[in-house]
Amino acid sequence: MRRVTSPSPSFADALLAELAREPDGVSLPRLCKRLDVRMSVLLRELAWLGDDSIGGESGPGWVRVERRGELDIAVLTDRGRNHAP
């Protein structure tokens, strides 16, 4: 059985800080470029910080991903704004 591990606190802080600077959200490709990570890493982190259930536990709901036209946009939720560095 694979153990579910939590995300890196420093990466989570960097992601929340980027989203806090952009109240209307940021496209996922742009976030990857700013944070210098692959899309798979970003998507995993967004899942951890969103409200998806992982390992039977719901996430904190700090971020959400919205579809706007052809772009996926990451947005900081009100709850996330309280936790952004």
Side-chain angles (χ1 to χ4, degrees):
M1 182 174 181
R2 232 173 78 188
R3 182 178 171 166
V4 176
T5 58
S6 62
S8 161
S10 60
F11 183 65
D13 287 345
L15 174 56
L16 292 173
E18 280 297 322
L19 293 176
R21 286 191 271 278
E22 301 280 349
D24 293 328
V26 183
S27 73
L28 300 191
R30 181 167 289 159
L31 265 179
C32 285
K33 191 174 247 186
R34 287 183 185 177
L35 298 170
D36 193 29
V37 297
R38 293 186 327 217
M39 184 64 75
S40 61
V41 173
L42 178 62
L43 291 173
R44 185 171 47 245
E45 192 74 16
L46 290 170
W48 278 108
L49 298 176
D51 57 4
D52 291 342
S53 178
I54 299 174
E57 295 188 31
S58 294
W62 296 344
V63 299
R64 71 177 179 276
V65 177
E66 301 174 351
R67 187 76 173 172
R68 296 184 192 161
E70 294 186 18
L71 289 176
D72 288 321
I73 306 292
V75 178
L76 196 61
T77 65
D78 289 338
R79 188 181 303 169
R81 289 187 205 299
N82 295 329
H83 293 285

